[in-house]
């Protein structure tokens, strides 16, 4: 274990003067690595890598802690880091890159309650002493001093619900497997297949010990002796970070045999997925861990009875495991004070889309969506009116603007026709076509269907075709009825959660935006101008007669003399949009 | 077992704990549609046709994988459920080749049956269909993925029951298909041609490679047409004409063949008797010399290909004797051709066989030019119907000489345990036991896939083992490979039930297979002669033509060899 | 095939790491050496997005089609690339230089629309930037 002296040193380091650079995937993809190297080589003090602080809209982010104050710089790139370095060398603040003189100054963080993401972006993810200095592993110490059943009781009392989307009571799930004898497996689902959701990835890259600690508590309580963190292959940094953190934990007797002298063993390793959204479903996930096709199996039998290699297995989302640590750090009654009665605690969300301040946020459950989108997110990024907020990814639905006071909790979202899902929250403005959103999600789900059961394999294909007809002007009055009927059929009859939820975006968008569908079907028009086949391209007076469009047009629909306004023959136009793309003076409008 | 009270379709009834809803319903006469369910296979819950309504459950549940619970209230045919099944069918049909009229499964297809039952009238969801090429490469089995409904029964049979692993899933989602791996076609694959996949397929995605037109052409060619019928055909052909299973239709079968133009109708059972004479001779020799034991029977060509592919180094255990069909074929081209003074090339020999693997067998280099075509039972029935033969009203006719007489031992070849029993009757007789009925063969009767018995032959204890399905064969061969086999004599049949359950037979449940076996046993008990080596016709052939049992000429004409086959 | 201790997916990932794709003959050898039926290997290899059966191109362009990028018109970016390179996602240019793929979320949502060329991530890709990037590859 870590010595008290080491903890003290780490605490001093965390509170003392230092410079940190966000090097999670979002930071790296924004160009943070050369910034990190430049700062390190500049010899201006302790420079350390940290994970993601959640403010993705400002990446790459450099935090300078000086005299206990935390200056946040954003958008620091290879080309401007020298300005920051010279300012710091002179003991000044670099104004043009400064985002905030303190985190509390930022609207983005007001209203957030960062518990599970609390360490992200503040500590070096692979420094165990820093994790412990910030209160890490106190939860595990407390748990292993209790009787196993009492640990489960406390988890039930906390009311924590799964953060992966289904929202099942975590404590209840544990009690199913706790009574089984013999070998048992514990799984962390880090597949995070929703396109546009990366909360799990952020946690795995920025605070892996929070997950490991939670799993160890769960292993102790349920009697599981082996576990896997299953994460998608598309997360190489998360995989690497987890593997390193696990080996550090082993070195310090926090994993392996006789953990902290308590007498219980827990072996943990990482398993990589190979690219299949359906492997987020727990039976498919277990098949994937076994090295088989990721097709779900009927339940019963449930994983607690018959899971990996036939042994009882408990699957919880990576985010849930993080919250387990939070529950046992705060204690169940403190935890219950946050959130709502039915949905206690906080939820980490990925706020993205047409929003000014996209990033990873964490709020108490029950927070109104309006607060998240406007107060924290800053409202729409293009200044246009907000149309809807999409929750739950491809399994979810939309909440229209007039319902934005809806609190964020499992039941309310479900009653409105959406779901909580894993926490992806996409802001959609008037500039987006809501029918295109439904089509986009169905295209995704249809491609990811495993193909085993008829309703999903065939149904999602036909639903997609209908949506494509609608967005290309080929639909008629009967299409909407067929869409609704087939959606209900697929929801009711599919084998697993993928099929059972795939039509949700359709029914949800139809519920609130049927008029938009009707415009596409009856008037063959896309009000937002997004659906390519339903737009009309027009050359305006801005045209300089360069002829680029006419040359580019694949069907020679454009004519005109040099230096004169050109014209598009609408009867020939196939609405491919090439002219729109190549016009050097943006003279063509949709 | 705990008993539960449940209500189903308004009826109060009891169910056993652990029963699935669909099984309980079947027990009380309620039939729920299904495609992917098969009693012998692991349940996958894929087709979703078997959904039923449960009071208190917002969604329907799949009755094949949902266990009953106390107080359950179930509705299996509510309007909502019927509409769900109808939509399900419409979706399947939207991705299906709908040329029913020209399809091999026309009027037998399960999709047709359910489409009619559910009154599917309007295909509301037409769209893209992936067109896949038909695989006609194999001489035994034709694969057409345009008719596949992905019920996965063929895969489960081929992988779990037969352990051949010739076909499997490929791709994902809408692009999922069933095919051999790595782009192989059926001919290149590990397929042993047993046809168990064919009899499990609810549509015509898998069916036998048809030789009916070849036989029609042969019947009109002016050549000398001869037919031979395998032991099990007489027990199954009647079912193709709606007769009750369990009745042997031997006489009608012969009459039918003669009526459509076969000049001679011979009985493969005679070949079976000769097989026994040769194999019994071989067995006794091996027992004396204590070499290559256990000895394994070799009438089954699917088993032989399986052995050549996966257990070649252990194949010296196989009897070198040909299958009964090949024996008759060989004798027809030589012995019989000489007798009637017809040139061998002017004879066309058609085998009526229970299996698709025989189509492969007759093309083996070792047997080339002997039998010309194989018609399965089902194919024969189709041919007779096409030629308007009023089968059920036909009178009986005897087989033709000199290759038509058989004993009771020959007849029972068609069921599991039959070859073993026939062989042991002869071995017993030659060992001095004059009344074979005193021997207890019950341990090797019945539908258990692995059966063993200890037979006492005047002091010599013979340990025998009878298996059917290739999965069981694999286990036995692994045991032999490890040097741990305790047996002296093994019978292997690739098909469940033996030849009565062959890939070319009409489909039948386990109980139907038992009835067919019973028909053969009955035929055996009515025979005057029930020991193979006492068959007068067989003995005449040996005297006139073959020479000694297991002698040099017998070896040349009646035995064969095997070759190693590389497959994945 | 439930074989504890042997993980088919991990084995296939190792093959792909080594060769850049899954060569057919390597898979057949895998089948023989580990006594896994070819059907099992093929069924697993054709199920997951990650596994490729074609030799890789010199460069791979992955256009992100995650929701945030979609909302920021990644579809336009993709179609522009398709028109310029004359290939569709999943295909390789005739000279074997570039393979085009779509991928769901590379984590640069704040810089949408985003794309990756080999390991390098490019954000806020507009027409000019795209022209530069494609030009540099040829």
């Amino acid at each position: 274990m870590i010595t008290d002296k080491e903890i003290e040193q780490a605490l001093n380091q965390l509170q003392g003067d230092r410079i940190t650079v966000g090097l999670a995937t979002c930071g790296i993809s924004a160009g943070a690595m050369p910034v990190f190297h430049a700062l390190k080589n500049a010899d201006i003090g302790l420079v350390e890598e940290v994970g993601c602080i959640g403010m993705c809209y400002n990446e790459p982010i450099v935090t300078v802690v000086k005299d206990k104050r935390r200056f946040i710089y954003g958008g620091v790139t290879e080309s401007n880091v020298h300005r920051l370095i010279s300012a710091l060398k002179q003991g000044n603040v670099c104004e043009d890159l400064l985002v905030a003189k303190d985190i509390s100054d930022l609207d983005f963080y007001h209203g957030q309650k960062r518990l599970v993401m609390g360490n992200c972006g503040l500590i070096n993810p692979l420094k165990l002493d820093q994790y412990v200095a910030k209160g890490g592993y106190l939860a595990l110490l407390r748990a292993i001093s209790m009787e196993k059943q009492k640990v489960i009781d406390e988890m039930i009392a906390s009311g924590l619900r799964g953060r992966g989307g289904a929202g099942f009571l975590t404590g209840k799930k544990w009690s199913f497997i706790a009574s089984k004898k013999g070998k048992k497996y514990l799984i962390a689902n880090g597949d995070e297949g929703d396109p546009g959701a990366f909360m799990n990835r952020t946690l795995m890259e920025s605070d892996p010990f929070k997950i490991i600690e939670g799993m160890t508590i769960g292993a102790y309580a349920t009697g599981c002796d082996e576990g896997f963190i299953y994460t998608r292959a598309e997360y190489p940094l998360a995989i690497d970070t987890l593997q390193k953190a696990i080996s550090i934990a082993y070195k310090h007797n926090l994993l392996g045999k006789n953990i902290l002298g308590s007498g219980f063993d827990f072996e943990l390793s990482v398993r990589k997925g190979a690219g299949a959204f359906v492997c987020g479903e727990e039976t498919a996930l277990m098949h994937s861990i076994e090295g088989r096709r990721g097709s779900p199996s009927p339940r019963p039998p449930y994983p607690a009875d018959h899971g990996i290699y036939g042994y009882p297995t408990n699957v919880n989302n990576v985010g849930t495991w993080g919250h387990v640590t939070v529950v046992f750090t705060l204690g169940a009654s403190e935890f219950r004070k946050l959130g709502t009665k039915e949905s206690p605690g906080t939820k980490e969300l990925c706020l993205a889309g047409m929003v000014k301040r996209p990033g990873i946020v964490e709020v108490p459950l029950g927070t109104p969506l309006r607060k998240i989108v406007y107060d924290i997110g800053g409202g729409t990024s293009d200044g246009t009116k907000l149309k809807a907020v999409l929750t739950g990814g491809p399994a979810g639905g939309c909440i229209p603007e007039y319902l934005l006071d809806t609190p964020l909790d499992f039941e309310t979202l479900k009653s409105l026709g959406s779901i909580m899902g894993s926490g992806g929250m996409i802001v959609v403005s008037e500039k987006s076509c809501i029918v295109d959103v439904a089509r986009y999600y169905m295209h995704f789900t249809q491609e990811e269907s495993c193909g085993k059961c008829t309703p999903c394999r065939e149904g999602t294909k036909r639903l997609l075709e209908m949506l494509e007809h609608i967005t290309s002007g080929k639909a008629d009055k009967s299409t909407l009825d067929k869409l609704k009927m087939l959606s209900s059929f697929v929801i009711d009859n599919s084998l697993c959660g993928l099929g059972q939820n795939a039509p949700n975006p359709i029914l949800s968008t139809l519920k609130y935006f049927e008029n938009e569908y009707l415009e596409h079907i009856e008037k063959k028009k896309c009000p937002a101008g997004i659906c390519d086949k339903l737009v009309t391209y027009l050359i305006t007076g801005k045209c300089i007669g360069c002829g680029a469009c006419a040359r580019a047009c694949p069907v020679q629909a454009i004519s005109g003399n040099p230096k004169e306004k050109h014209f598009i023959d609408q009867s020939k136009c196939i609405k491919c949009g090439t002219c729109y793309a190549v016009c050097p003076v943006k003279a063509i409008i949709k | 077992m705990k008993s539960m009270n449940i209500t189903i379709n308004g009826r109060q009834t009891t169910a056993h704990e652990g029963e699935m809803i669909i099984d309980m319903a079947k027990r009380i006469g309620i039939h729920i549609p299904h495609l992917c369910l098969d009693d012998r296979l692991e349940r996958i819950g894929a087709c979703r046709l078997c959904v039923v309504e449960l009071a208190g459950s917002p969604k329907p549940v799949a009755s094949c994988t949902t266990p009953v619970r106390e107080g359950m209230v179930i509705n299996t045919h509510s309007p909502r459920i019927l509409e769900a099944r109808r939509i399900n069918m419409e979706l399947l049909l939207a991705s299906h080749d709908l040329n029913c009229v020209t399809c091999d499964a026309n009027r037998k297809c399960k999709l047709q049956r359910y489409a009619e039952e559910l009154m599917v009238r309007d295909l509301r969801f037409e769209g893209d269909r992936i067109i896949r090429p038909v695989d006609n490469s194999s001489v035994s089995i034709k694969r057409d993925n345009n008719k596949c409904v992905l019920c996965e029964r063929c895969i489960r049979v081929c992988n779990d029951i037969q352990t051949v692993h010739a076909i499997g899933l490929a791709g994902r989602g809408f692009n999922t298909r069933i095919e051999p791996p790595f782009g192989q076609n059926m001919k290149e694959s590990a397929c042993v041609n047993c046809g168990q996949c064919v009899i499990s397929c609810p549509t015509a995605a898998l069916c036998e490679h048809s030789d009916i037109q070849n036989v029609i052409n042969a019947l009109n060619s002016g050549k000398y047409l001869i037919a031979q019928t395998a032991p099990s055909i007489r027990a199954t052909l009647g079912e193709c004409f709606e007769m009750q299973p369990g009745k042997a239709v031997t006489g009608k079968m012969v009459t039918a063949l003669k009526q459509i133009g076969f000049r001679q109708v011979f009985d493969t059972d005679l070949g079976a008797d000769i097989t026994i004479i040769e194999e019994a001779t071989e067995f006794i020799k091996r027992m004396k010399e204590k070499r290559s034991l256990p000895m394994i029977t070799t009438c089954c060509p699917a088993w032989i290909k399986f052995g050549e592919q996966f257990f070649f180094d252990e194949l010296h255990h196989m009897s070198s004797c040909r299958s009964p069909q090949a024996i008759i074929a060989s004798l027809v081209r030589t012995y019989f051709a000489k007798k009637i003074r017809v040139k061998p090339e002017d004879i066309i020999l058609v085998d009526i066989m229970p299996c698709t693997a025989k189509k492969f067998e007759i093309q083996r280099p070792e047997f080339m030019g002997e039998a010309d075509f194989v018609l399965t039972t089902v194919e024969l029935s189709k041919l007779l119907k096409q030629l308007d033969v009023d089968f059920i009203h036909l009178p009986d006719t005897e087989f033709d000489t000199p290759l038509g007489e058989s004993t009771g031992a020959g007849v029972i070849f068609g069921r599991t345990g039959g070859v073993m029993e026939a062989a042991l009757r002869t071995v017993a007789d030659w060992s001095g036991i004059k009344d074979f009925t005193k021997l207890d063969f019950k341990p090797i009767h019945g539908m258990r896939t692995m059966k063993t018995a200890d037979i006492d032959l005047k002091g010599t204890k013979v340990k025998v083992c009878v298996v059917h399905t290739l999965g069981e064969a694999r286990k036995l061969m692994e045991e032999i490979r490890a040097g741990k086999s305790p047996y002296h004599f093994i019978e292997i049949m690739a098909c469940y039930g033996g030849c009565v359950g062959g890939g070319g037979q009409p489909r039948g449940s386990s109980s139907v297979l038992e009835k067919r076996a019973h028909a053969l046993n009955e035929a055996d008990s009515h025979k005057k002669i029930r020991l193979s080596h006492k068959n007068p016709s067989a003995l005449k052939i040996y005297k006139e033509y073959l020479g000694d049992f297991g002698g040099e000429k017998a070896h040349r004409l009646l035995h064969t060899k095997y070759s190693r086959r590389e497959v994945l | 095939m439930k074989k504890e201790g042997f993980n088919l997916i991990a084995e296939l990932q190792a093959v792909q790491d080594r060769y850049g794709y899954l060569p057919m003959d390597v898979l057949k050898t895998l089948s023989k050496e580990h006594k896994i039926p070819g059907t099992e290997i093929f069924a697993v290899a054709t199920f997951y997005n990650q596994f490729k059966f074609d030799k890789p191109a010199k460069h791979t362009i992955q256009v992100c089609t995650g929701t945030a990028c979609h909302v920021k018109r990644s579809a336009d970016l993709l179609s522009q690339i398709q028109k310029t390179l004359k290939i569709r996602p999943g295909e390789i240019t005739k000279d074997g230089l570039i393979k085009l793929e779509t991928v769901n979320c590379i984590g640069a949502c704040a810089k949408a629309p985003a794309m990756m060329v080999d390991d390098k991530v490019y954000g806020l890709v507009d027409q000019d930037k795209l022209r530069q990037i494609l030009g540099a590859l040829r």
Side-chain angles (χ1 to χ4, degrees), chain B residues 86 90 115-116 118-124:
Chain B
R86 208 164 8 245
E90 288 181 46
E116 190 184 333
L118 291 162
M119 288 177 53
V120 174
R121 289 288 174 270
D122 200 9
L123 296 188
R124 293 171 280 187

Side-chain angles (χ1 to χ4, degrees), chain B residues 35 96 103-105 108-111 144 147-149 151 198 200-207 507:
Chain B
L35 280 174
H96 200 84
C103 175
D104 285 283
K108 291 201 178 59
C109 166
K110 248 185 154 175
L111 284 187
D144 185 355
K147 299 179 179 168
C148 177
V149 293
C151 69
V198 171
S200 72
C201 181
T203 67
L206 286 161
C207 60
R507 290 144 201 239

Side-chain angles (χ1 to χ4, degrees), chain B residues 211-462:
Chain B
D211 280 298
I212 297 179
Q213 191 56 49
N214 285 330
V215 174
I216 292 178
N217 295 343
L219 287 167
N220 291 314
S221 64
K223 295 217 172 157
Y224 195 104
L225 268 282
I226 300 177
Q228 62 162 315
T229 61
S232 66
I233 312 298
R234 67 212 66 198
T236 59
L237 186 57
E239 290 173 42
C240 299
F241 298 92
E242 267 90 74
M243 294 171 74
Q244 284 300 312
K247 190 152 171 26
V249 291
T250 321
K252 294 193 206 299
M253 176 178 70
V254 179
T255 310
L257 288 163
K258 295 223 118 164
Q259 193 175 311
I260 62 175
F262 285 96
R263 288 181 68 167
Q264 306 286 347
V265 180
F266 292 146
D267 194 352
T268 312
D269 296 19
L270 168 63
D273 284 327
I274 296 179
T275 301
I276 291 301
I277 292 172
E278 289 298 308
E279 274 195 29
T281 307
E282 197 180 356
F283 179 63
I284 289 174
K285 192 158 184 255
R286 288 198 200 182
M287 284 288 276
K288 263 209 197 94
E289 295 169 13
K290 289 203 194 331
R291 72 170 166 84
S292 287
L293 292 173
M295 186 169 109
I296 311 177
T297 61
T298 49
C299 322
C300 175
W303 144 239
I304 292 177
K305 188 166 191 273
F306 184 87
E308 288 176 320
Q309 284 173 187
F310 304 121
F311 295 99
F312 186 72
D313 293 323
E314 285 73 32
L315 281 201
H316 58 93
H317 289 275
M318 294 230 259
S319 157
S320 60
C321 186
R322 290 175 169 221
S323 66
Q325 166 279 123
I327 288 178
I328 297 289
S330 169
L331 290 172
V332 160
R333 287 295 160 187
T334 53
Y335 172 73
F336 182 67
K338 276 201 189 87
K339 252 196 188 260
I340 59 166
R341 279 190 259 266
V342 173
K343 282 200 255 188
E345 54 267 29
D346 289 337
I347 293 175
I348 293 185
L349 172 63
V350 176
D351 292 358
I352 314 297
M353 296 285 128
C355 79
T356 42
K358 289 289 176 188
K359 293 181 190 261
F360 178 83
E361 186 179 50
I362 63 170
Q363 297 215 347
R364 284 176 162 263
E366 302 87 49
F367 303 150
M368 273 302 248
E370 294 177 2
D372 291 288
F373 305 112
V374 166
L375 280 187
T376 62
T377 317
V378 169
E379 281 178 292
L380 175 60
S381 74
K382 285 183 181 168
L383 177 60
L384 295 176
K385 285 175 188 167
Q386 193 182 137
L387 296 174
D388 196 28
V389 173
D390 184 10
F391 187 80
I392 59 176
H393 294 123
L394 292 177
D396 291 341
T397 310
E398 295 286 317
F399 283 105
D400 290 308
T401 50
L403 299 173
E405 184 176 16
S406 64
T407 71
V411 134
I412 57 174
F413 262 54
R415 61 145 172 92
T416 163
V419 179
M420 179 61 72
E421 189 172 331
L424 289 173
R425 286 183 193 176
T426 293
V427 171
D429 187 82
W430 284 347
S431 307
I433 297 174
K434 287 303 150 190
D435 183 5
F436 75 83
T437 59
K438 291 279 192 298
L439 296 170
D440 182 18
F441 289 118
K442 269 212 208 61
I444 59 170
H445 286 183
M447 297 301 280
R448 281 167 302 121
T449 50
M450 203 283 206
K451 301 169 278 192
T452 63
D454 289 324
I455 308 288
D456 194 338
L457 294 179
K458 293 246 160 146
T460 317
K461 278 216 167 40
V462 180

